[in-house]
Each structure stands twice: as structure tokens, then as C-alpha cells.
Amino acid sequence: MIEVKGISKSYGPTLAVDNVSFEVHRGEIVGFLGPNGAGKSTSMKVITGYLAPDRGTVSIDGNDILEAPIAARSRLGYLPESTPLYEDMGVLDYLDFMGRMHNVPAERRRGRIDELVDICDLGRMAHKDIGELSKGYRQRVGLAQALVSDPPVLVLDEPTSGLDPAQIVEIRALIREIAREKAILLSTHILPEAQNVCDRILIISQGRLVGEGTPGELLSMAAGGEQYTVTFKGRAGAELRGALERLPRVSDVSLLSEEGGSRFRLKAEGGADLNEKLFDLAVSQGAKLLELNKTATTLESVFLQLTGTSASGDALHSVQGHDAPAAAEQQSGAAAAEQAKEAGDE
Amino acid sequence: MSAPRLHPAAIIARQELRIALRNRWIFVYAAIFAALTGAVSYFGLSVIEFTGFQGFERTTVSLLNLVLYIVPLAAMLMTVQSFSVEGGATDQLFTEPVTRGEIVCGKLLGVGGAMAWATLLGFGLPAVLIARYAGMDGLSSYLILVLSTLLIAFSFCAISALITIALRRSLRAYAVVLVVWFLMVLVYDLTVIGVSFLLSEGYANRVAFVALFLNPVDCARVGTLLASVGKEAYGLAGAQLVRSLDGTEKAVGLLFLCLITWTLVPALASNRLLARQDI
């Protein structure tokens, strides 16, 4: 449904998006994740045909966005980040306008708008001007306009941006509800959102894709990086440290403190479960085990691993063929490009 | 069978028109226009201690300069507002199944339609009073003024669209259209007169003649005066134009054609520029 092949986009000398490729299939919600200035918005603008790529192609439901832009855009519903709306228009008038733009026949348009007012819970606001609506309701109007032609492809740029927690839950549920028959590309920088809503996640950093996979795949990538925090009492820290370092599949042992017991942090290689071994070690050393905590791997740690380390130029994980170290070489090119564009725009 | 789809440009024009008509500024503009027209007509002869509605012809002449100050400014400011991308609503259009040419065309038609609506209202209401109290004489002059007002509004809408698209951001566009208005409406004539003084008579005539076509404000001014009160009313360039075309009607036609060109050329340039532009 969405096929992106090798798109690149520069603003002047700076490369904002570099050779990005991916696909989104029907019935799939794909999260597009990246820190600010990573090239997310530029990629979304290229995908929706708002910007022309310097290289590469984008196909929406089989229609090339440059060669058949009208056909491609007519199969696309887009919710931009800032939910741009005509402030002086009424909600129903605006949805009617968007329906006309998408060539929704008059006899179907009325029914479709009623349906969307219901789905997006806009009933109480339907007769108000958009300028009078709260951020949450504007977001709903934005979502409703993206859906008005019932397009097979949806591109949602930060759909829960600026919403309160209750509204976020509702909008996420709504996105999941409509996802069954559609291909949805959802840009976000909120990690739990990507984890909860998306079937697959693309991580972009400095203009390049540095990670791709299901939330489970991404989490398992970071497995082996789990950390344990343990506190023993009754033996000297130095002795315990030596014993811990001798344990199989344990690394990076550090003594955190010796007040009220010896507190250690250590890393379990390959995601090994160390609970039993640590308990046995306490028994064998004649020490009391006061604390045993395992820090679970989160998508956040994967994200930081993939994007944070790239900023410092360290080696990155290569996931499903994406060459993350190459992204590191770019330094902060994409961020600089987006900043340059913003500065130029001001 | 479903009704045929309105052309996308017409859909956008309808939307722009609706937005403009929901915006109170267009009513303020229409009201000011009507009040000024009524006031100029009623108090136009107060210097000779006569108050009361003047006829259409005298009102036309009295109103002309006022119209040429106000209309270009209002048209340009409204167009910048419509074409600005900061609000984002224009941004959204670029991702809809519509070409950029249709967006330019639709927006210009919409803004131009709103200006036309306000202009007709502003001229129409006082016209009823003038007709009631001063009679119908000179109505054709008044209608010529309405026509040239519409043409000048469309010209400046198109010029402003080109400026806004070229500059991309509304703050810059507002600043530049104010400068353009100042130059075209206030400075241009003084410059032409100043240059003419420095030249010999033959060259000065040619400069004045050519300068007539290089500014839509002058086209509208001379065209309206020629059509209303004949070649005696407006100076050298107008007289020369009438002489070279062998008739007032042809001269007026050429000037109004020039005004239409001043609409079409910037509109086509806007379309071309936007089509090639990364937003």
C-alpha cells in the first residue's frame, strides 16, 4: 500500500533524509519513530507528495506520488502534525469541503460525515467553528478529514500531539479501530505509543533508518543488556565483587555503595536469568541477600541505543539490513537540515 | 447518478469565498466603502456650500482617487492572508488530490469573488441613494468605475499572490505588499512626473505614455476618466493614447485590456512558481 524506495531529500547542502526505504501493508500500523530533527516530518512530507524527493520513489496503493500525484493523493488520508484547519469554518462545512476535494459523491458524503462525527465523537462540536475547538477536538476533526474519503492509506503525523491522557487513549483506540482495512503510517516520538499501537516500528535517526521490526523484535534486539541491582550484607564488597565477576554470563559489575550492605549493578549477557545464581552466590558466600532487582529492557533503551549512540558516533546495531553506522557518519546532518529549513522559513 | 464533480478550482474558490464572507473584515471593507461612497457623494460639494447627493458622474470623479488608494491595499492584504502557508490550511491542500495550478486558480477566484462581493455592496448601496436623490444621469460613468475597481482588485490580488508565493511567509509578504502598494499607488506618478521634467518634451511624452501601461493603478485611473468625462479630463498620456488609437473607446478598451493582463500575467507566474517550488 505504501512503498518507499530509496528516498533522499536535501535542504541546500544538508541532507535531511538519506536513502530511506520501507513498505506498509494493508491492515498494518507502522510507527515512524525518531528524535526531533531526525527527518521524520521531511519523510512524511515526501510520502504525501508535499515535497518532491531528490531521489527515490514513493508509491501509494500502486500510484507513484510524482508520476500520478492525483491518483496517489486520492488514495491517501493525511493528518499533518499541526492539524491545520480553517479556523473560520464550521466542523461540518470543513468535512464537507474535504469530501468534495476527494470527490466523494454528494449522496454518500452526508452519510460519511455523520458516520465520522460519530466515530470521532464530534457530535457536540459539529456545529461549532473550528477556531472555537480545543486542541483535542481539532485533532479529531483532523482525523475525521483524513478519513472522509475512506482512503486505503493513512499517514498520521504525531496524531496525539498536544492531547491530554484521556484523549490520547481515545485517539489510539480509534486508530486501532480503523486500522483493519488500511495501511497506516504513524509518526511519533512517544515510545509507549509506538509500542502500544504499532505492529511494526521504523526508527529514523539523522535522516536514515537505523532500526526496523515489531516491538518484540526490537526489544529482543536489546535483550542481553538487562541489568540487575543486588545488595548483599555480611561480606566485604571487594570479596563479593570478585565472586560476582566469576559468575558465568555476568559482566560490567560495579559496586554502587557499601552503606547498609554492598550494593552492586551488573549486566546479564544474552538476556540470562540470574535470579537463582545470585541467590546461590549469597548462600555460598554466607551473605544475606537484601535486594534483587532486574531492570527490564524497554523500547526506550532500544531507541536510545539506536539513536543516542549514533549521535556520539559509536557503533550502532544493524537491524534487518539497515546500515546504522553509516548514519552515525552523517553526524547531525538531518537535524541541521530541518533546523536550517525552519530558520529559513522564519 | 451522482452530480458531476465541481472542478477542484471551483471547490477551492467556493471554500475561499465562504471563508472570506465569514470573516468580518470583508464586511468592514464593504461598510467603509459604502460609507465613503455615500459621504463623497453627499459632501463632495460642501466647499461651495452645497450639501446633498451629487450625480453619478461627479461622484465617479470624486471617488476615483479614493478607490485607487483603498482597493489595491485591501486586495493585497486579503490575498496574503489567503495564500499564507503558516496557518497550515494551505499546506494541507498540497497533499490533496488537486494540482497546484488549481490551488492558485481557486484561491484567486475565491479572494477575487469576495472582493467583488464587497465592492458591489459598497458601491451598490450608495448608488440606490444617489439614483433616488440625484437621478440616473451619469450612471454609465459610475458603472465604469465599478468595473475598473473590480479589475484593479483582481490585478492586485494576482500581484499579491505572486509576492506571497515567492516569499513563502506571510510576515515578509505583508511587509513587501505594503511597500509595493506605497510605490505603485503613491510614488509611481511622482517619479514619472519627476523624470518627465528632466527630459525633453519628446522623450517625456514617450515616458509618460509607456509608464501608463506599467502600473495597473494608472491604467485604471486614466481608463475610468477617459470613459467618464473624455480626454480633456486626463493629461498628456491619456490624450496621446486617444490620439494614437483614434478614439476614446479604443483607448479605454486598451487600458482595461492592460488591467486584465496585469491580472493574468502575475496569476500565471504564480502558478508557474508554485509548481516548481518546494514548500
Side-chain angles (χ1 to χ4, degrees):
Chain A
M1 299 288 262
I2 302 177
E3 196 177 353
V4 177
K5 282 187 188 166
I7 57 166
S8 297
K9 179 71 189 173
S10 298
Y11 295 119
T14 33
L15 198 56
V17 177
D18 184 14
N19 198 26
V20 167
S21 300
F22 60 86
E23 289 181 7
V24 184
H25 305 285
R26 185 190 295 272
E28 192 179 31
I29 306 177
V30 171
F32 203 46
L33 204 63
N36 289 334
K40 284 195 310 282
S41 287
T42 302
S43 301
M44 300 293 251
K45 285 176 179 174
V46 169
I47 291 163
T48 55
Y50 182 82
L51 290 177
D54 299 333
R55 283 192 305 279
T57 59
V58 176
S59 169
I60 305 291
D61 200 21
N63 300 281
D64 188 283
I65 197 79
L66 289 181
E67 287 172 10
I70 302 298
R73 287 185 210 147
S74 65
R75 287 160 176 79
L76 176 77
Y78 176 46
L79 171 66
E81 183 182 355
S82 53
T83 327
L85 302 166
Y86 289 97
E87 303 247 322
D88 292 328
M89 291 300 296
V91 171
L92 295 178
D93 282 347
Y94 177 66
L95 294 178
D96 184 67
F97 167 65
M98 295 308 281
R100 285 172 191 267
M101 292 294 291
H102 279 267
N103 203 16
V104 179
E107 67 272 14
R108 199 155 66 79
R109 204 162 56 233
R110 188 68 258 165
R112 179 65 181 157
I113 290 170
D114 289 344
E115 192 183 352
L116 287 170
V117 164
D118 189 39
I119 290 173
C120 297
D121 194 19
L122 284 166
R124 285 186 299 125
M125 304 294 158
H127 295 284
K128 287 194 173 182
D129 279 1
I130 290 168
E132 298 171 34
L133 302 185
S134 67
K135 170 83 181 162
Y137 276 104
R138 283 170 188 235
Q139 203 74 355
R140 287 162 195 256
V141 174
L143 199 56
Q145 66 77 24
L147 290 166
V148 76
S149 63
D150 198 14
V153 175
L154 278 179
V155 175
L156 311 175
D157 198 355
E158 306 275 1
T160 57
S161 159
L163 302 185
D164 66 41
Q167 291 169 331
I168 287 173
V169 170
E170 285 174 24
I171 293 285
R172 283 180 189 163
L174 179 57
I175 292 168
R176 277 194 294 268
E177 170 89 22
I178 58 180
R180 290 179 207 136
E181 294 298 315
K182 299 186 190 303
I184 300 182
L185 179 65
L186 180 154
S187 143
T188 182
H189 62 269
I190 305 168
L191 294 163
E193 180 161 286
Q195 200 166 359
N196 294 337
V197 176
C198 302
D199 302 307
R200 197 151 53 86
I201 294 170
L202 309 167
I203 298 180
I204 187 169
S205 178
Q206 293 161 13
R208 300 198 71 166
L209 278 188
V210 293
E212 178 180 352
T214 63
E217 284 169 347
L218 288 170
L219 286 172
S220 66
M221 240 185 61
E226 285 96 338
Q227 289 188 331
Y228 283 81
T229 309
V230 282
T231 305
F232 301 102
K233 192 174 180 184
R235 291 293 297 270
E239 291 171 26
L240 287 166
R241 181 178 186 143
L244 283 168
E245 284 172 343
R246 284 193 295 278
L247 282 176
R249 304 178 77 177
V250 168
S251 62
D252 298 344
V253 178
S254 55
L255 181 59
L256 301 176
S257 75
E258 288 198 278
E259 286 176 26
S262 305
R263 191 158 193 255
F264 295 93
R265 179 179 294 146
L266 50 93
K267 199 169 175 181
E269 291 174 351
D273 187 347
L274 298 177
N275 289 351
E276 199 173 329
K277 285 191 175 70
L278 291 169
F279 183 79
D280 290 345
L281 182 134
V283 172
S284 67
Q285 294 290 319
K288 290 176 183 167
L289 184 60
L290 299 184
E291 179 195 4
L292 175 54
N293 276 324
K294 181 180 177 183
T295 312
T297 305
T298 62
L299 199 55
E300 190 174 22
S301 58
V302 181
F303 181 78
L304 290 174
Q305 216 171 340
L306 292 172
T307 59
T309 48
S310 67
S312 63
D314 294 338
L316 296 173
H317 288 263
S318 180
V319 191
Q320 296 192 6
H322 296 302
D323 184 11
E329 288 170 15
Q330 282 180 247
Q331 296 296 329
S332 55
E338 297 215 340
Q339 281 166 6
K341 170 119 174 73
E342 281 165 17
D345 290 349
E346 281 168 8
Chain B
M1 203 174 92
S2 65
R5 184 191 182 194
L6 272 173
H7 191 275
I11 298 171
I12 296 169
R14 178 178 176 269
Q15 172 80 351
E16 289 293 325
L17 188 59
R18 288 177 66 139
I19 290 168
L21 295 183
R22 288 176 71 114
N23 186 327
R24 70 186 69 133
W25 290 111
I26 197 74
F27 287 96
V28 171
Y29 170 77
I32 288 174
F33 221 103
L36 284 174
T37 307
V40 163
S41 177
Y42 192 79
F43 296 109
L45 293 179
S46 58
V47 285
I48 56 166
E49 295 182 353
F50 171 83
T51 52
F53 284 101
Q54 305 171 67
F56 280 114
E57 192 170 291
R58 195 176 286 276
T59 303
T60 299
V61 176
S62 306
L63 261 182
L64 182 60
N65 277 329
L66 204 57
V67 163
L68 294 177
Y69 285 130
I70 293 173
V71 174
L73 186 63
M76 288 208 284
L77 295 178
M78 272 192 65
T79 309
V80 173
Q81 190 180 25
S82 169
F83 276 79
S84 298
V85 293
E86 281 95 334
T90 301
D91 279 23
Q92 173 104 43
L93 282 179
F94 295 122
T95 65
E96 300 303 327
V98 54
T99 67
R100 293 191 176 186
E102 287 164 349
I103 293 173
V104 171
C105 182
K107 279 186 167 283
L108 275 177
L109 285 173
V111 177
M115 285 296 297
W117 177 89
T119 302
L120 293 174
L121 195 67
F123 276 119
L125 294 178
V128 174
L129 295 174
I130 294 168
R132 167 82 173 77
Y133 294 106
M136 300 292 280
D137 285 351
L139 180 63
S140 61
S141 297
Y142 193 76
L143 292 177
I144 292 282
L145 177 65
V146 174
L147 176 64
S148 75
T149 303
L150 293 176
L151 291 176
I152 197 95
F154 297 154
S155 300
F156 276 91
C157 284
I159 292 167
S160 180
L162 181 60
I163 292 168
T164 312
I165 290 168
L167 297 175
R168 299 181 182 199
R169 292 293 173 260
S170 61
L171 201 59
R172 288 182 210 164
Y174 278 121
V176 171
V177 297
L178 286 175
V179 171
V180 168
W181 174 80
F182 182 73
L183 292 176
M184 292 180 97
V185 175
L186 301 172
V187 175
Y188 187 84
D189 277 351
L190 294 176
T191 308
V192 172
I193 292 167
V195 169
S196 299
F197 269 122
L198 298 175
L199 300 171
S200 62
E201 192 182 337
Y203 280 116
N205 285 348
R206 273 179 238 167
V207 166
F209 185 71
V210 172
L212 192 57
F213 299 97
L214 297 180
N215 185 346
V217 178
D218 274 6
C219 291
R221 180 184 289 123
V222 175
T224 307
L225 284 171
L226 285 175
S228 310
V229 284
K231 65 184 174 186
E232 298 78 14
Y234 199 76
L236 202 58
Q240 199 175 348
L241 180 67
V242 173
R243 197 167 52 242
S244 60
L245 290 177
D246 196 25
T248 305
E249 291 80 9
K250 285 181 186 170
V252 172
L254 183 65
L255 288 167
F256 282 2
L257 195 64
C258 186
L259 272 176
I260 293 170
T261 308
W262 266 104
T263 305
L264 293 179
V265 171
L268 292 171
S270 303
N271 180 26
R272 202 177 170 82
L273 187 62
L274 190 64
R276 291 190 308 185
Q277 204 174 53
D278 257 2
I279 307 301

